[in-house]
Amino acid sequence: MNVIQETKQFIETIHASDSSGHDVAHVERVVRLVERLMENEPVNRTVLLLSAYLHDVEDHKLGRPKGLVKQHLSSIDITDEQANLVMAVIDEVSFSKGKTPTTRESEILQDADRLDAIGAIGIARTFQYAGSLGTPLDLAETSAVQHFQDKLLKLAGNMHTEKAKRLAMSRHTFMQQFLEQFHEEWDGIDT
Ligand code: ADP
Ligand code: NI
């Protein structure tokens, strides 16, 4: 088994039974998006793919202990330098930390993770996340609907790669249409 396959198996146990929008399928979609975005890019593919598989293992919202990524990386056959690169890429990806990526690998992974937070899948994940917290479906400041204004509608304008910019544009338009219809139905003015 190669290091990518070993890492895939590792995250399948880590993300099993997640219902907050960080399930195994999210990680696999991000990996597939990374594969699409990294074509013709001068990147370290092994480092980027390992980072994609591991990017949500230590998400602070999910309450998992620190050190799981480092522990996994030291158990597979990669150099210390590669392991350090993977940890640096993961550290720069998070929206909430507000960091600006300093490598092409971080830019591509950030694009992929953010693409999966918008569009039809982004809408589904948002309401699933809110449901997992027990939040009512309303228009309060802490609601899923407000989360579109707070975060999701800002993502398309901040993509790094040309391919992600293109994909983000149609996902963004779809979310805007969804919100427009949502508010019309909410206000009883749809026709
Ligand atoms: P990731 O780290 O995978 O980019 P997040 O941890 O920020 O994503 O969030 C996971 C999913 O839950 C995303 O689709 C995100 O938009 C959604 N989400 C995050 N915070 C909220 C919130 N306060 N209300 C509704 N959805 C949220
Ligand atoms: Ni993610």
Side-chain angles (χ1 to χ4, degrees):
M1 207 165 33
N2 68 32
V3 295
I4 304 288
Q5 287 164 334
E6 280 178 81
T7 302
K8 184 173 185 304
Q9 275 195 356
F10 169 69
I11 69 94
E12 278 167 4
T13 60
I14 290 282
H15 293 274
S17 74
D18 178 285
S19 59
S20 75
H22 297 86
D23 44 31
V24 178
H26 162 63
V27 180
E28 284 176 345
R29 284 191 307 272
V30 169
V31 169
R32 278 200 302 278
L33 281 163
V34 159
E35 286 169 342
R36 289 167 74 186
L37 300 179
M38 77 182 179
E39 267 178 39
N40 306 317
E41 291 281 350
V43 290
N44 183 324
R45 282 159 193 260
T46 303
V47 165
L48 182 46
L49 288 172
L50 291 175
S51 307
Y53 273 115
L54 295 167
H55 82 277
D56 272 336
V57 165
E58 287 182 14
D59 190 303
H60 65 97
K61 287 195 287 311
L62 309 178
R64 280 191 285 267
K66 286 253 167 257
L68 284 175
V69 169
K70 194 171 189 172
Q71 207 179 337
H72 171 74
L73 291 172
S74 64
S75 78
I76 60 175
D77 187 22
I78 57 171
T79 63
D80 286 352
E81 194 196 347
Q82 282 176 312
N84 288 333
L85 285 170
V86 170
M87 288 191 286
V89 170
I90 293 172
D91 187 53
E92 288 182 345
V93 169
S94 150
F95 177 85
S96 49
K97 285 189 194 158
K99 293 194 178 171
T100 306
T102 56
T103 63
R104 197 59 170 162
E105 285 82 355
S106 308
E107 288 184 340
I108 290 173
L109 180 52
Q110 194 176 73
D111 280 1
D113 198 29
R114 290 177 171 187
L115 280 171
D116 204 56
I118 62 177
I121 286 177
I123 294 169
R125 289 180 71 211
T126 299
F127 290 103
Q128 187 186 34
Y129 182 92
S132 78
L133 297 182
T135 315
L137 180 62
D138 59 23
L139 307 182
E141 268 179 32
T142 50
S143 70
V145 180
Q146 190 54 37
H147 186 64
F148 288 91
Q149 306 299 334
D150 294 344
K151 172 177 168 183
L152 304 182
L153 291 171
K154 295 177 184 160
L155 297 180
N158 288 304
M159 295 288 162
H160 308 284
T161 61
E162 287 312 309
K163 205 181 270 183
K165 283 179 192 168
R166 240 189 6 257
L167 295 172
M169 213 182 294
S170 82
R171 293 183 187 210
H172 184 84
T173 306
F174 185 79
M175 278 194 305
Q176 285 176 318
Q177 286 166 347
F178 167 79
L179 287 169
E180 209 169 298
Q181 173 84 12
F182 182 95
H183 286 292
E184 282 184 13
E185 292 179 16
W186 191 278
D187 294 337
I189 57 167
D190 58 314
T191 49

